[in-house]
Amino acid sequence: MNKIVLLSSVLIGCSFATHAREWSYNDCVEWAKEHNISLRQSILNEQIAGVDEEESKAAWQPSLDFATTHGYSNAPWGENNKNSYTSSYGLNARWTVWNGGVRENNIKKSQLQSAISKLSTTDKLQSIEVDMLGVYVNLLYAKEAISIYEEAVELSKAQADRARQLMEAGRLSKVDYAQLESQYEQDRYALVNAQATYDTRRMELKKLLELGINDTIAVKNLEWTRDEVLAMVPPMDESYRMAAAIDVPLQINELEIDDADLDVKVAKAGRMPDISLTAGVGTGYSAPGDAFATQIKRCVSESVGLTLSIPILDNKKTKSAVARANIQRLNAQLDREARETELAQQVESWYIDLQSAQSRYIAGEQQVSSTELSNELVNEQFNLGLVNTVELMTAHNNMLEARHSLLQAKYMAMLGHKMIEYYRTSNINMP
């Protein structure tokens, strides 16, 4: 049974290895452009908006239809023919001459909706890029964290081995040895957790890329220098102005305000008269009577007409429509103000996070240097029997925590740099 389980594990591992590939951030973005379902749905919505725009433009064209009516009647107590059949045939055309500007404004509205749909697709893509950046950077962080815990395991194993030698030589108690052996097991457990975290982050990236269960993913190694981590950032107010100038949700809000203005005009058109031109050609046939062709020719009639419709009372439908449109316009303006506030808070938040991460990185460098030196000295003293296991374990854990904090500050700072770059340019440049 154990052999079967082992063989299955090997086959699964080989299958994963066969399909594994290393992904850069740009690879992930390009894949998402082609395969992300929500993005593809947004593109379909663009196409629907394009169809709606063509339909609104067609309102300038006249309508034309063919109509035919057939009837049969029975008069049981009639004097002559008790049964009769009648039919009519006609072509009817109608063209709206003027309807208060509704047609023109509907065309403008459809054009705005088409533009909004395109911007919504852009916004969806940018949201995917931002989400993917966070997941990708977290994955890089989790990957590098594994190396820290691997080194910690090697170090604690060496300490445990040394403690065992000292115990066998009678220079260390079994209790002290057990403590160092426990430290080794704790570091191994921390390593397993770090690997599990890395696998979880990989799963998050797979989910974002909408990859299948048989697909595996690995990220390319990416190194950021100290100068990149501590690079200066441009003024915050400048970044906000640049972000506001190119922010897609703000652009959508502006178009929605324009759309609301058109809704007001369309609603007010309910008070305007409507002028339409009609024309038609028709004929008919009834039986019993003359021959079909004879009647059809004799009954041909042509008509043309001009209709003027002036609204007087409409149960407050127009008034209510205007009120709703005005409220919608105010709501669109509030959406824009809310987005401006949200954008300012987002930009400021990333500046605060970046500056905090840079400060923690500088402090972390000093802390790592001092804890590594302290750990090295304590190890030497432990080998000479000058310090106990508690001091040794404390120095080890302090060094491990300092390295982890430095790594965390590094990736938080780089994520902040990339986000500020995104707000300024709408682009994320990653190797």
Side-chain angles (χ1 to χ4, degrees), residues 107-117 255 258-259 262:
I107 292 174
K108 293 177 182 178
K109 278 177 59 63
S110 65
Q111 292 172 338
L112 284 176
Q113 288 300 322
S114 181
I116 289 174
S117 296
L255 292 181
D258 294 340
D259 185 65
L262 291 174

Side-chain angles (χ1 to χ4, degrees), residues 66-70 85-92 281-286 292 296 299-301:
F66 170 76
T68 179
T69 303
H70 300 265
Y85 165 79
T86 60
S87 63
S88 64
Y89 311 87
L91 282 174
N92 303 296
V281 177
T283 186
Y285 169 76
S286 63
F292 179 81
I296 288 295
C299 295
V300 169
S301 64

Side-chain angles (χ1 to χ4, degrees), residues 176-415:
D176 289 337
Y177 168 71
Q179 288 179 333
L180 291 179
E181 184 69 19
S182 176
Q183 177 67 58
Y184 169 58
E185 294 300 332
Q186 288 178 9
D187 287 343
R188 288 182 59 192
Y189 182 75
L191 175 60
V192 171
N193 279 341
Q195 291 170 336
T197 300
Y198 176 68
D199 290 337
T200 301
R201 297 292 179 262
R202 283 199 305 174
M203 188 63 196
E204 290 175 358
L205 185 57
K206 280 184 61 178
K207 183 178 179 181
L208 197 58
L209 292 172
E210 297 176 353
L211 295 175
I213 191 172
N214 294 324
D215 296 312
T216 59
I217 189 169
V219 294
K220 292 183 178 180
N221 292 326
L222 183 58
E223 293 293 334
W224 281 309
T225 65
R226 182 179 186 274
D227 290 340
E228 289 178 300
V229 173
L230 299 179
M232 296 292 293
V233 293
M236 184 169 59
D237 57 344
E238 176 185 284
S239 294
Y240 171 71
R241 288 195 299 271
M242 294 178 66
I246 59 176
D247 185 62
V248 174
L250 269 180
Q251 295 175 25
I252 292 176
N253 290 149
E254 292 292 340
L255 292 181
E256 287 175 343
I257 292 174
D258 294 340
D259 185 65
D261 288 335
L262 291 174
D263 282 334
V264 174
K265 294 179 180 179
V266 170
K268 289 181 177 179
R271 303 190 182 103
M272 303 294 179
D274 185 287
I275 303 174
S276 59
L277 182 65
T278 59
V281 177
T283 186
Y285 169 76
S286 63
D290 295 338
F292 179 81
T294 301
Q295 289 193 48
I296 288 295
K297 181 178 179 182
R298 185 176 65 241
C299 295
V300 169
S301 64
E302 300 173 337
S303 65
V304 63
L306 184 68
T307 302
L308 172 63
S309 176
I310 302 176
I312 299 175
L313 294 175
D314 63 353
N315 304 109
K316 291 189 176 181
K317 291 182 179 180
T318 300
K319 183 177 180 180
S320 299
V322 172
R324 280 193 294 268
N326 281 319
I327 292 172
Q328 187 60 37
R329 186 182 188 282
L330 292 174
N331 193 46
Q333 291 175 335
L334 290 176
D335 286 341
R336 181 185 61 186
E337 293 176 12
R339 177 55 189 171
E340 289 173 346
T341 302
E342 180 185 17
L343 182 61
Q345 292 173 346
Q346 289 174 347
V347 172
E348 183 178 8
S349 177
W350 279 111
Y351 266 81
I352 293 173
D353 290 344
L354 173 56
Q355 292 167 357
S356 175
Q358 288 178 327
S359 298
R360 286 188 284 111
Y361 184 84
I362 294 173
E365 286 182 316
Q366 299 172 351
Q367 189 177 18
V368 167
S369 178
S370 62
T371 55
E372 286 179 344
L373 178 59
S374 175
N375 185 68
E376 183 179 351
L377 293 175
V378 171
N379 267 279
E380 292 177 359
Q381 291 173 339
F382 176 76
N383 292 333
L384 296 174
L386 300 178
V387 297
N388 57 34
T389 55
V390 174
E391 293 173 302
L392 181 65
M393 292 167 59
T394 300
H396 173 80
N397 289 331
N398 287 343
M399 182 186 67
L400 181 60
E401 183 179 353
R403 287 178 175 176
H404 189 269
S405 297
L406 179 64
L407 184 66
Q408 191 178 48
K410 168 187 171 182
Y411 280 97
M412 190 62 200
M414 289 311 304
L415 180 59

